[in-house]
Amino acid sequence: MRRRLTAGAVATVTGLAFLTTVPGSAQAEPTAVVDYTVVAADGASATEAVAAIKAAGGTVVSSNEAVGVYRVTSTDATFETKATASAALIGASERKAIGYAPNGIEKVEKGLSSAGKGGKGQGPAKSDPLDDKLWGLAMVKADKARKIESGEKGVTVGVLDTGLDASNPDLAPNFSSKLSKNFAPDIADIDGECEVAGCLDPVGTDDGGHGTHVAGTIGAALNGSGVSGVAPNVTLVELKGGQDSGYFFLDPVVNALTYAGDHGIDVVNMSFYVDPWLYNCTANPADSPEAQAEQQAIITGMKRALNYAHAKGVTMFGALGNNHEDLGSPRTDISSPDYGADPYDRPIDNSTCWDLPVEGPHVIGVSSLGPSGKKSDFSNYGTEQISVSAPGGWYRDGYGTDTFQTVGNEILSSYPLKVLQEEGLVDADGNVTDAGSASVFKDCTKAGKCGYYTYLQGTSMASPHAAGVGALIVSRYGTPDRRNGGLTLAPDKVEQQLYRSAAEHACPEPRLQTYTNEGRSTEFNAYCSGDKQFNGFYGYGIVDAYAAVGGH
């Protein structure tokens, strides 16, 4: 039985609260205006919530009434205590990061060897210049799918991430500046000095790189330049919910999800995981009351937003995570909190703790595979939360062959020039440096517009492959969306077709897979439970774009 976060699982939680102090505890006098997230109690109207915020000494800066989340500023040292005491509010806290685009596993083994840089030579037949390096497109049969369906402009895919570099000639043709929106202004303390007035980067930019890579896998145009995506004709929408530094705050993520629902976005990809807690628990005895309240807040806030988006017709995909563990039997968490305080050991009770957003309601969880089809050593797994599997890359795949530990085993996709220059992989003139020669490609159109591409690995790269197939399903079977224009298809129907069409893959033998030959410790050992129809490594199977759009 697959465990999902349901209303019953958080029945004792009546709203969202980031409580950094217990009611009545002493607080230091603030020396400046403090920025808070405040959440209304269940049943409280917007009028009641705003009045309670003002009575507590706060000023509403912005609000999301769909889920009862408010951004508030105050100079009152007792604001949190007053807000928590109000019957119309659950609580208040200083804004703090709840998510991070997991670049650690994705970059740790990037560019170590140029051998095999060209990949497997198994790219799709109808392709762009660099597609012969995209073994992932061939694995999900995107080449064959294009003969039937390559995506419709009326189908929109939201990339909830660090941004999207629309200057790349592969992304520009499919990018909607009209629908795109930045929900995450730069914060100097973590993102560095603001680059524009007001600190709100314009849409079509990405100072982190993660979102641009994800977007290319989903929907890079099939236009004779660079690479092509799984669904090369769909419309890409930037939903910037992450900071340039990679952190994700609660209110931008919630706002992005409700915006997607309100604006008819068909598919949303979420290649990030919720921090500062690896697992968010309702009442972990190892946590302080303040930490418990914070996690209850994250659980409730994400649940509200995910349910809202699903009810509005959004199909959501999430990376299963890079912590190499069975999500149904998690290890003791030794890494949390990873932001704002020192970590400590936290035994995890599976029935009351969640890895978010992938364990939230209505999220299709995707595990990562290498070119051989084996589960990537870093990928999370388990029958409880997995839905499907997809190419996410695995640098260490191919042990015993000349492709072992080569970047061609990873996923090549679009990447911002600015970020590559900051990393020393491209010089000021736009030329790939010696340091970047093993992992970076430059490809230019006939008109002289150049795009840049690099390799990453992770479940963050697997999820967009699946999201691209989801977009093809909406393109193929969707009906006119009278409310927002374009096409629409109920998320449950998208999910059914995705699972029904996935290529079933049995567990490996022996079922207990070890990765010691690849240089990993026994902590990476993974047991595959289940049968060919559904198991912990592959879920319902490897996503199959061709079968999903009616190919046989």
Side-chain angles (χ1 to χ4, degrees), residues 32-37 61 70-74 93-96 187 251:
V33 174
V34 179
D35 199 1
Y36 296 94
T37 297
V61 176
Y70 298 83
R71 183 180 172 190
V72 175
T73 58
S74 179
S93 76
E94 294 184 43
R95 295 175 68 220
K96 61 195 315 183
I187 300 172
D251 46 336

Side-chain angles (χ1 to χ4, degrees), residues 131-345:
D131 280 0
D132 63 335
K133 298 158 181 59
L134 306 188
W135 55 269
L137 284 190
M139 180 178 283
V140 303
K141 301 179 183 176
D143 51 342
K144 297 180 68 175
R146 290 171 185 174
K147 300 173 184 178
I148 302 172
E149 180 62 71
S150 57
E152 297 290 334
K153 290 298 181 188
V155 173
T156 49
V157 182
V159 182
L160 207 176
D161 217 295
T162 59
L164 191 159
D165 179 13
S167 69
N168 185 296
D170 263 332
L171 302 183
N174 293 339
F175 177 69
S176 172
S177 59
K178 180 180 178 180
L179 283 173
S180 295
K181 188 171 182 179
N182 182 352
F183 300 90
D186 289 346
I187 300 172
D189 288 348
I190 59 174
D191 298 320
E193 185 178 351
C194 294
E195 298 141 315
V196 298
C199 297
L200 190 69
D201 293 338
V203 297
T205 63
D206 180 9
D207 293 334
H210 192 269
T212 298
H213 198 279
V214 166
T217 295
I218 296 170
L222 183 61
N223 60 354
S225 174
V227 301
S228 62
V230 174
N233 287 338
V234 299
T235 295
L236 297 171
V237 179
E238 174 191 348
L239 302 175
K240 189 179 188 311
Q243 305 300 135
D244 295 345
S245 54
Y247 286 104
F248 284 71
F249 288 88
L250 181 63
D251 46 336
V253 172
V254 167
N255 291 342
L257 285 169
T258 56
Y259 175 91
D262 290 338
H263 289 78
I265 306 301
D266 296 294
V267 173
V268 166
N269 185 83
M270 298 180 291
S271 285
F272 62 90
Y273 58 87
V274 173
D275 286 335
W277 307 98
L278 179 61
Y279 286 90
N280 288 275
C281 305
T282 55
N284 192 325
D287 298 328
S288 68
E290 297 85 4
Q292 290 178 5
E294 179 179 337
Q295 291 165 69
Q296 290 168 1
I298 293 172
I299 292 168
T300 306
M302 291 302 296
K303 170 180 169 287
R304 285 181 178 179
L306 294 169
N307 280 331
Y308 184 90
H310 178 266
K312 293 283 189 173
V314 182
T315 301
M316 294 171 288
F317 291 81
L320 204 62
N322 299 335
N323 203 44
H324 57 275
E325 68 181 331
D326 183 344
L327 289 178
S329 182
R331 299 188 301 271
T332 295
D333 175 14
I334 61 173
S335 64
S336 300
D338 61 4
Y339 181 93
D342 293 331
Y344 53 90
D345 289 359

